[in-house]
């Protein structure tokens, strides 16, 4: 304040009083080059060199295979941080000959004590030095161990990942803690207001009854106490082998990642040492169709000032195709065209308010709370399904609305709605691939399945080539299959499986009429 109160000659405060000292100082107008316009380079200043992308090689995903079969894939990306991880071709679909729930247990046990690190805290402190975080996710067909950290700590990160995957201690105390964590997650799954994870489990179990991707992703309650180090080692011995792994990295140089892999992942004996021949389940998914029902009181799922009303949830699915087939892209466009969501979506650009499940279902039937399309795809099969929810008294009508939407998929496809779906799919793809962890997962999963990677511009080109006839063709093929049905809640008004199947085989998707003598 004192610095601004400078009294000028003659006693006047002048402009200082109004604007402060800074306003009183003579304004610098770049006197060195007064007549050079902003659009021209300054004389005597060297010409700037800007970063450029020469063709596609800057975006290319590089893949190297080591002598032991381990694949190393990397994608360079500008930035200080990198995401590195190990993806294993292992998941709940491989548990047919084992206790169900092993992958779920391994996911919770990840980044615990190892041969080098005495505890989880020690691992987290090591990562903290490089500003790093870690995560493990197990799905039906892949287990993924990932770390995001400063790129300068790459050597430490790869060393840590190798130790976590190949040298876990699996102590009695850690296994006991994991039992408690799994128990809590199972209780939470059955209590949460959003039933989507539970319905996804049920629709897979109905579509692929007791095989591959139909096996339970979560550990059944009766198996929690049976899990021990011996059971886990017997599974790890067969599925955690170098030829079933990919070390993927984003934001690092490929040669540097290969060097670290040779140092920490080549010639390393895992803690479950064994030279026995591997017994790997190579079963191909068998689509069976069918129905799984779970009668459940949903009236008290979400109590409070604004409780969620009692709803019955239905999911109907049909077999689509694997992500390795050419029809995968038309199915992805079809899923985007169906779209949908909840009845309380905020709307706005990109929210899918012009998709079929909004226009034909939620906008016309105010009593439906949800209508959403999902597409699950694996290396040997796929499942396109629609999830809907409504009051238990209107379940029959809701099921008929959904079966009619499946039949209408095979009808005329408007040019505008198709172009909108393709543009939205491209937009979603490109926006997701702005994120480094998403690029990492895309690189890892594609290389694990195909030993190569389709780049975003290739995928956008394939999406752009989808025609109305492609949609009709894949839908006609899909509708020839038996449906898979999952139902949760009060199922008093649920039509029989045979009636749902008959509706999907009819021309208009309507359920067979029921005549009751007494109402």
């Amino acid at each position: 304040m004192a610095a601004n109160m400078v009294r000028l000659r003659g006693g006047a405060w002048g402009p200082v009083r109004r604007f402060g000292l800074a306003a009183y100082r003579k304004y610098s107008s770049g006197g060195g080059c007064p007549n050079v316009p902003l659009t021209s380079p300054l004389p005597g200043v060297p010409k700037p060199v800007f970063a450029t992308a020469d063709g596609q090689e800057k975006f290319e995903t590089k893949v190297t295979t080591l002598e032991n079969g381990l694949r190393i894939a990397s994608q360079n990306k500008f930035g200080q941080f990198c995401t590195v991880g190990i993806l294993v071709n292992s998941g709940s679909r491989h548990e047919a000959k084992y206790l169900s729930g092993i992958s779920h247990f391994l996911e919770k046990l990840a980044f615990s004590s190892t041969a080098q690190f005495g505890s989880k805290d020690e691992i987290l402190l090591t990562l903290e030095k490089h500003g790093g975080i870690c995560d493990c996710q197990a799905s039906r067909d892949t287990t993924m161990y990932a770390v995001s950290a400063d790129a300068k700590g790459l050597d430490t990160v790869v060393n840590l990942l190798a130790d976590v995957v190949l040298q876990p201690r699996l102590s009695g105390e850690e296994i006991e803690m994991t039992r408690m964590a799994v128990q809590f997650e199972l209780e939470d799954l059955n209590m949460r207001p959003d039933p989507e994870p539970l319905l996804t489990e049920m629709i897979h179990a109905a579509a692929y009854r007791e095989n591959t991707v139909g096996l339970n992703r979560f550990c059944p309650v009766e198996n929690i106490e049976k899990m021990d180090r011996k059971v886990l080692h017997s599974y790890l011995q067969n599925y955690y082998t170098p030829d079933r792994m990919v070390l993927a990295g984003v934001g690092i140089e490929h040669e540097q990642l290969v060097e670290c892999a040779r140092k920490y992942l080549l010639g390393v004996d895992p803690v479950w040492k064994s030279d026995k021949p591997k017994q790997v389940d190579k079963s191909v998914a068998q689509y069976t169709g069918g129905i799984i029902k779970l009668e459940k009181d949903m009236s008290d799922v979400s109590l409070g000032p604004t409780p969620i009303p009692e709803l019955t949830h239905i999911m109907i699915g049909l077999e689509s195709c694997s992500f390795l087939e050419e029809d995968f892209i038309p199915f992805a466009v079809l899923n985007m065209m169906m779209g949908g969501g909840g009845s309380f979506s905020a709307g706005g650009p990109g929210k899918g308010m012009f998709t079929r499940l909004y226009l034909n279902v939620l906008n016309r039937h105010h009593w439906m709370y949800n209508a959403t399309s999902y597409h699950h795809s694996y290396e040997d099969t796929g499942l396109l399904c629609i999830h809907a929810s409504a009051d238990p008294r209107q379940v029959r009508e809701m099921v008929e609305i959904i079966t009619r939407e499946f039949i209408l998929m095979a009808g005329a496809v408007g040019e505008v709605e198709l172009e909108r779906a393709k543009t939205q799919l491209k937009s979603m793809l490109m926006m997701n691939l702005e994120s480094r962890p998403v690029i990492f997962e895309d690189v890892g999963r594609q290389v694990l399945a195909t030993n190569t990677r389709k780049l975003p511009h290739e995928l956008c080109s394939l999406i752009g080539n989808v025609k109305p006839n492609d949609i009709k063709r894949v839908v006609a093929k899909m509708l020839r299959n038996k449906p898979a049905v999952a139902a949760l809640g009060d199922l008093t008004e649920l039509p029989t499986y045979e009636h749902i199947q008959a509706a999907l085989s009819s021309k208009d998707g309507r359920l067979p009429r029921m005549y009751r003598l007494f109402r």
Side-chain angles (χ1 to χ4, degrees):
M1 182 69 83
N4 287 343
M5 297 185 69
V6 181
R7 190 170 180 82
L8 300 182
R9 195 175 302 168
W13 290 100
V16 179
R17 177 171 292 182
R18 283 186 296 162
F19 305 111
L21 190 62
Y24 183 72
R25 289 182 185 141
K26 183 182 176 183
Y27 179 68
S28 171
S29 58
C33 306
N35 300 319
V36 179
L38 293 175
T39 52
S40 304
L42 294 172
V45 176
K47 189 178 178 182
V49 179
F50 297 105
T52 57
D54 306 324
Q56 293 299 334
E57 62 268 19
K58 296 288 182 188
F59 303 103
E60 190 181 359
T61 302
K62 296 179 180 177
V63 182
T64 300
T65 306
L66 297 187
E67 294 83 344
N68 60 358
L70 176 78
R71 285 157 288 176
I72 300 144
S74 77
Q75 177 87 43
N76 213 339
K77 188 180 192 298
F78 177 78
Q80 181 184 349
F81 281 78
C82 66
T83 299
V84 183
I86 294 175
L87 291 93
V88 190
N89 186 4
S90 153
S92 58
R93 69 171 295 163
H94 301 108
E95 293 173 2
K97 296 178 181 177
Y98 297 88
L99 273 179
S100 178
I102 288 178
S103 299
H104 189 195
F105 247 75
L106 290 172
E107 177 189 28
K108 299 297 172 200
L109 276 165
F111 295 98
S112 295
S113 64
T114 67
Q116 284 184 49
F117 301 93
S119 67
K120 190 165 198 161
D121 288 344
E122 208 173 309
I123 288 175
L124 296 175
L125 283 169
T126 303
L127 286 174
E128 208 173 273
K129 292 173 187 173
H130 301 283
I133 54 171
C134 60
D135 185 31
C136 177
Q137 293 177 12
S139 61
R140 297 179 190 283
D141 54 358
T142 311
T143 304
M144 182 171 66
Y145 299 81
V147 169
S148 286
D150 193 307
K152 292 174 185 172
L154 180 65
D155 191 83
T156 304
V157 167
V158 176
N159 178 26
L160 188 148
L161 281 166
D163 218 42
V164 163
V165 175
L166 300 175
Q167 308 284 337
R169 284 187 185 170
L170 307 179
S171 69
E173 185 184 350
E174 286 168 346
I175 289 174
E176 189 55 45
M177 290 293 287
T178 303
R179 287 191 184 120
M180 292 167 64
V182 168
Q183 181 78 46
F184 176 80
E185 190 169 346
L186 293 177
E187 289 171 8
D188 178 61
L189 189 69
N190 288 309
M191 289 167 61
R192 63 173 65 176
D194 176 22
E196 199 267 323
L198 190 56
L199 278 168
T200 302
E201 284 303 301
M202 292 168 67
I203 197 76
H204 278 83
Y208 306 93
R209 198 168 286 273
E210 295 177 5
N211 77 88
T212 58
V213 292
L215 299 176
N216 202 337
R217 192 168 75 84
F218 297 101
C219 181
V221 176
E222 62 270 17
N223 286 355
I224 292 176
E225 291 303 320
K226 297 176 186 173
M227 293 290 175
D228 57 26
R229 189 189 297 163
K230 186 180 177 183
V231 170
L232 296 172
H233 276 186
S234 69
Y235 178 85
L236 291 165
Q237 174 187 318
N238 285 339
Y239 289 96
Y240 277 47
T241 55
D243 57 303
R244 298 178 66 84
M245 294 181 186
V246 168
L247 173 66
V250 175
I252 32 86
E253 294 292 338
H254 186 71
E255 291 71 24
Q256 197 181 352
L257 187 61
V258 172
E259 186 184 327
C260 290
R262 288 188 177 280
K263 187 174 174 183
Y264 298 113
L265 287 159
L266 191 61
V268 178
D269 286 328
V271 73
W272 51 86
K273 300 180 187 120
S274 175
D275 296 324
K276 295 176 184 176
K278 307 295 178 288
Q279 298 173 342
V280 174
D281 183 3
K282 295 183 179 177
S283 305
V284 175
Q286 302 296 316
Y287 181 84
T288 60
I291 185 167
I292 286 188
K293 298 188 282 188
L294 180 57
E295 287 267 6
K296 190 178 177 187
D297 180 12
M298 306 285 281
S299 60
D300 59 350
V301 166
S302 178
L303 302 174
T306 54
I308 294 175
E310 182 180 359
L311 299 174
T312 294
H313 301 271
I314 307 292
M315 197 177 267
I316 300 175
L318 290 162
E319 187 180 25
S320 57
C321 71
S322 94
F323 57 67
L324 300 175
E325 296 177 48
E326 288 182 3
D327 285 346
F328 172 66
I329 300 293
F331 269 117
V333 174
L334 172 64
N335 179 54
M336 194 59 67
M337 195 168 77
M338 297 308 294
S343 58
F344 297 106
S345 176
K351 291 296 292 290
M353 300 302 281
F354 287 93
T355 56
R356 285 193 179 186
L357 291 179
Y358 264 112
L359 294 176
N360 302 346
V361 178
L362 293 169
N363 288 0
R364 294 184 184 180
H365 307 285
H366 63 90
W367 45 268
M368 283 187 69
Y369 278 76
N370 184 40
T372 314
S373 175
Y374 295 96
H375 188 216
H376 306 278
S377 200
Y378 305 95
E379 63 182 356
D380 51 2
T381 188
L383 193 63
L384 183 87
C385 38
I386 295 176
H387 167 211
S389 55
D391 186 281
R393 291 165 294 184
Q394 293 172 300
V395 169
R396 184 177 177 83
E397 195 178 346
M398 173 174 70
V399 169
E400 185 170 86
I401 288 165
I402 299 306
T403 54
R404 282 165 61 189
E405 283 304 311
F406 270 110
I407 296 299
L408 287 170
M409 287 181 195
V413 178
E415 196 64 41
V416 173
E417 69 171 344
L418 182 63
E419 285 305 314
R420 184 185 288 120
K422 293 197 294 190
T423 303
Q424 199 170 346
L425 183 59
K426 289 180 195 174
S427 168
M428 188 177 289
L429 173 73
M430 299 309 289
M431 282 193 292
N432 284 338
L433 289 173
E434 289 284 319
S435 164
R436 191 181 61 250
V438 174
I439 301 173
F440 156 75
E441 188 171 344
D442 183 50
V443 169
R445 284 182 179 275
Q446 285 203 50
V447 172
L448 194 63
T450 65
N451 292 323
T452 184
R453 182 188 179 221
K454 273 197 176 93
L455 297 173
H457 69 91
E458 295 176 73
L459 292 170
C460 286
S461 174
L462 291 170
I463 293 166
N465 292 334
V466 174
K467 302 287 187 290
N469 284 340
D470 295 322
I471 302 293
K472 289 182 181 179
R473 176 175 50 79
V474 298
V475 171
K477 178 183 169 187
M478 179 177 74
L479 287 170
R480 288 198 288 267
N481 295 314
K482 289 169 63 178
V485 182
L488 175 68
D490 181 347
L491 309 179
T492 312
E493 295 294 319
L494 179 71
T496 64
Y497 178 75
E498 289 71 27
H499 280 192
I500 296 171
Q501 192 173 355
L504 287 168
S505 304
S506 67
K507 289 183 179 179
D508 57 4
R510 291 186 182 277
L511 291 164
R513 296 301 95 191
M514 285 180 67
Y515 300 99
R516 295 179 182 174
L517 194 57
F518 301 103
R519 289 192 178 274

